[in-house]
Amino acid sequence: MIPRPLFGSLFLVLLLTWPRQAPSLVFKHAHIMATQLSITSRDPHANMPILGLGTWRSDKGKVKDAVVEALRLGYIHVDAAQVYENQCEVGEGLHEARAKGYIKEMNDVWITSKLWNTDHHPDAVRPACDRILRELKLPKIQQLLIHWPTAFQKVKGEENLWPKDAQGRHLSDPNGDNKAVWKEMEKLVDAGLVETIGLSNFNEQEVQEILDVARIKPVCVQIECHPYLPQDEMRAFLHSQGIALCAYSPLANLDPNDASKPCALRDPVIERLARKHGKSPAQVILRWHAQKKNVVIPKSVTLSRIAENAGIYDFELSEEDMALIAGMGKTHRVRLVNPGFRPGGQPVFSQ
Ligand code: NAP
């Protein structure tokens, strides 16, 4: 009898060394059963890989190695953004991974980037996309998202990503027009610079406003989602529209060094399920995401954790386990990311 943790490790080694399936084959089978998911499975709504590597707050000097390691392990999805200010190094990682043969073609990797608030103006969209492609050293990417539903004023000739007013609040632009920005995003698809476009941090009403005018529909909405913020209603809405939900901050671990802050990894429910399945707390949470049909983009610059976060396809949470995790969101609802980007420094989300 092989002990469960050892069995899990053996499975992970097998999974990561197994020859990769052709994307079309993976997509064909992606929706069948949770147990058949793998590191290269794709979300049936957006055709985007269900597991990606997050890169927010991934320090320069570390993020390149993280990207290379992720692609070596079989990840085929990297989540980036201009405002993370590390995109050049993400690009270096992508190119190094290809040079080392971890990916055959750059097109085999799903790369998401995001249009920052200072570029939420129709005439700024194309130059911003060009800059993102320059930073990544790529002729095109798979996905560009409008990062927030809020625009900042752009001071001509200035590259400041965080303009502030006299009171030190974010310099919001009352004339920001998401629909006009969306029309320019569609032109990026027409021009072959991005394969798909989507939204991030938009609420249901704001997504609907885009759907009402869209010639090219958003394929994905990236929002905060974890056991303390399960987003069940938003997921139902998005899936009813054929849109993927991509879960950011999936581990609810924004302040890892502050034990007083909420952290799903330390929750007793998650710890109990981790013991039950012989998996780590992160693996239980990421498996929960997979079974909720979320695309998920855990960030790590720790090479062992990048492997650990992919080791979620050899076990299944029971209905009872899923109900226990659902209970966490009911008793302890937490939103971790809610910046004051609305006019007057108001938070983006009302709750
Ligand atoms: P996260 O992925 O939930 O958590 C990242 C933190 O958890 C890091 O401190 C990481 O540490 C640690 N960690 C990772 N794997 C672990 C494991 N197996 N065990 C223990 N700790 C682990 O949070 P996030 O970075 O906020 O979100 C993920 C990604 O979503 C971001 O990187 C970004 O790409 C995207 N995002 C998008 C938005 C948006 O507005 N669209 C907002 C936030 C995030 P180490 O790195 O030190 O290993």
Side-chain angles (χ1 to χ4, degrees):
M1 180 84 177
I2 304 173
R4 277 195 88 90
L6 183 58
F7 181 81
S9 312
L10 281 173
F11 185 89
L12 181 61
V13 169
L14 256 179
L15 172 78
L16 300 174
T17 50
W18 205 256
R20 298 217 217 118
Q21 288 172 274
S24 57
L25 191 66
V26 173
F27 177 52
K28 204 167 117 197
H29 295 299
H31 62 287
I32 300 175
M33 266 179 69
T35 41
Q36 292 177 331
L37 294 172
S38 76
I39 195 170
T40 54
S41 292
R42 286 174 184 252
D43 177 276
H45 302 99
N47 196 24
M48 62 192 284
I50 58 170
L51 179 71
L53 177 75
T55 61
W56 179 37
R57 305 201 291 192
S58 294
D59 292 339
K60 289 185 197 158
K62 290 187 178 169
V63 68
K64 185 183 85 170
D65 288 348
V67 170
V68 173
E69 178 65 359
L71 299 190
R72 187 187 75 79
L73 291 168
Y75 284 61
I76 51 166
H77 174 181
V78 177
D79 183 78
Q82 198 219 329
V83 76
Y84 301 164
E85 299 193 81
N86 58 10
Q87 266 191 159
C88 290
E89 208 178 304
V90 169
E92 284 171 27
L94 295 167
H95 290 283
E96 185 171 318
R98 188 168 63 167
K100 289 184 164 165
Y102 302 152
I103 47 171
K104 278 207 194 95
E105 302 290 337
M106 211 49 97
N107 274 346
D108 295 343
V109 188
W110 182 285
I111 297 144
T112 293
S113 188
K114 310 183 192 90
L115 187 78
W116 182 237
N117 294 351
T118 43
D119 293 316
H120 291 190
H121 307 280
D123 59 352
V125 172
R126 173 66 194 250
C129 179
D130 289 340
R131 189 171 55 237
I132 287 168
L133 295 176
R134 243 187 348 264
E135 287 189 357
L136 291 165
K137 292 200 177 59
L138 293 173
K140 72 166 182 188
I141 54 174
Q142 278 61 33
Q143 186 168 79
L144 187 70
L145 309 177
I146 302 183
H147 204 149
W148 291 89
T150 48
F152 287 169
Q153 288 179 41
K154 196 173 178 87
V155 185
K156 217 174 163 58
E158 226 185 68
E159 279 306 306
N160 184 6
L161 300 177
W162 298 100
K164 297 280 169 63
D165 67 13
Q167 284 78 39
R169 299 172 305 200
H170 296 295
L171 193 58
S172 125
D173 185 346
N175 300 318
D177 180 351
N178 289 328
K179 289 180 277 206
V181 170
W182 189 256
K183 291 281 136 202
E184 297 304 312
M185 296 278 284
E186 290 175 332
K187 290 181 192 165
L188 301 177
V189 179
D190 296 337
L193 300 176
V194 304
E195 264 174 27
T196 69
I197 46 181
L199 305 167
S200 176
N201 295 302
F202 279 52
N203 63 32
E204 183 174 329
Q205 187 192 328
E206 289 163 334
V207 173
Q208 188 60 57
E209 283 166 11
I210 297 296
L211 288 173
D212 290 344
V213 299
R215 173 172 63 83
I216 301 175
K217 270 179 60 169
V219 301
C220 166
V221 175
Q222 188 179 116
I223 49 175
E224 180 178 339
C225 180
H226 43 69
Y228 296 137
L229 193 65
Q231 302 277 16
D232 290 333
E233 283 175 24
M234 187 65 167
R235 182 184 309 97
F237 166 68
L238 294 176
H239 285 183
S240 76
Q241 298 293 330
I243 300 172
L245 186 160
C246 176
Y248 77 63
S249 300
L251 303 172
N253 184 29
L254 210 57
D255 294 289
N257 299 321
D258 184 347
S260 69
K261 292 284 168 56
C263 172
L265 294 169
R266 292 191 293 264
D267 192 287
V269 170
I270 297 296
E271 286 180 340
R272 183 149 35 105
L273 292 174
R275 281 194 298 277
K276 173 180 165 185
H277 290 280
K279 304 296 283 188
S280 71
Q283 287 171 326
V284 168
I285 297 171
L286 295 171
R287 180 68 207 188
W288 171 82
H289 280 287
Q291 290 182 214
K292 297 288 271 183
K293 299 190 168 34
N294 294 337
V295 173
V296 74
I297 46 171
K299 170 264 176 182
S300 183
V301 290
T302 311
L303 304 192
S304 60
R305 288 177 175 167
I306 296 171
E308 178 186 329
N309 294 345
I312 60 170
Y313 305 111
D314 58 346
F315 76 113
E316 190 155 20
L317 298 169
S318 67
E319 274 181 34
E320 193 188 30
D321 298 337
M322 293 295 281
L324 282 173
I325 300 178
M328 290 168 59
K330 287 182 189 130
T331 52
H332 190 194
R333 187 179 185 282
V334 183
R335 187 185 283 284
L336 300 165
V337 183
N338 194 5
F341 290 169
R342 302 264 183 207
Q346 290 302 305
V348 173
F349 303 102
S350 53
Q351 45 152 353

